[in-house]
Amino acid sequence: QVQVVESGGGLVQAGGSLRLSCAASGNIFSINAMAWYRQAPGKQRELVTTITTGGSTNYTDSVKGRFTISRDNAKNTVYLQMNNLKPEDTAVYYCCALRSFQRRSWGQGTQVTVSS
């Protein structure tokens, strides 16, 4: 099993920044990549960004140039630096461990609210 715990959400004004953290524990050797998803009210959960164990990253178009995913392997922690936040970034952000055999381990989510 893999446990994932997010932290760092909050309320910020448009144009501001937040950094989310995601700590993984348990059978971390089964993890192939880490991802951040988000779900806004009334919308489907969407993939925001991923980072592989090798450090390769991908971003959805709406956050490119504003969000940066990174990882600290020594701490088994992934970070999401979010800059120039917009009201449309408001959502619950979920960290997800993408594991072997298509298994996924989700965190409980952290709320990010961007006021205009």
Side-chain angles (χ1 to χ4, degrees):
Q1 292 292 338
V2 171
Q3 295 77 42
V4 174
V5 178
E6 306 102 330
S7 61
L11 173 64
V12 65
Q13 288 187 331
S17 298
L18 281 174
R19 190 177 81 155
L20 307 182
S21 299
C22 172
S25 60
N27 185 16
I28 61 172
F29 296 103
S30 69
I31 299 174
N32 296 323
M34 297 293 292
W36 286 97
Y37 287 76
R38 66 185 180 186
Q39 187 166 20
K43 295 187 177 182
Q44 289 189 330
R45 191 173 297 188
E46 68 166 340
L47 176 62
V48 177
T49 179
T50 59
I51 186 166
T52 67
T53 53
S56 297
T57 60
N58 273 296
Y59 299 90
T60 191
D61 286 345
S62 62
V63 308
K64 284 181 180 177
R66 300 189 297 122
F67 289 14
T68 303
I69 189 170
S70 62
R71 64 190 302 153
D72 184 334
N73 290 330
K75 296 181 178 180
N76 297 322
T77 299
V78 172
Y79 304 97
L80 181 62
Q81 178 67 44
M82 304 184 294
N83 298 328
N84 190 22
L85 282 160
K86 303 177 180 181
E88 51 264 42
D89 295 318
T90 295
V92 178
Y93 284 70
Y94 296 91
C95 183
C96 181
L98 309 179
R99 303 168 59 199
S100 55
F101 304 107
Q102 299 183 335
R103 294 172 296 177
R104 297 188 176 193
S105 296
W106 293 92
Q108 79 285 357
T110 185
Q111 177 70 46
V112 171
T113 303
V114 184
S115 63
S116 57

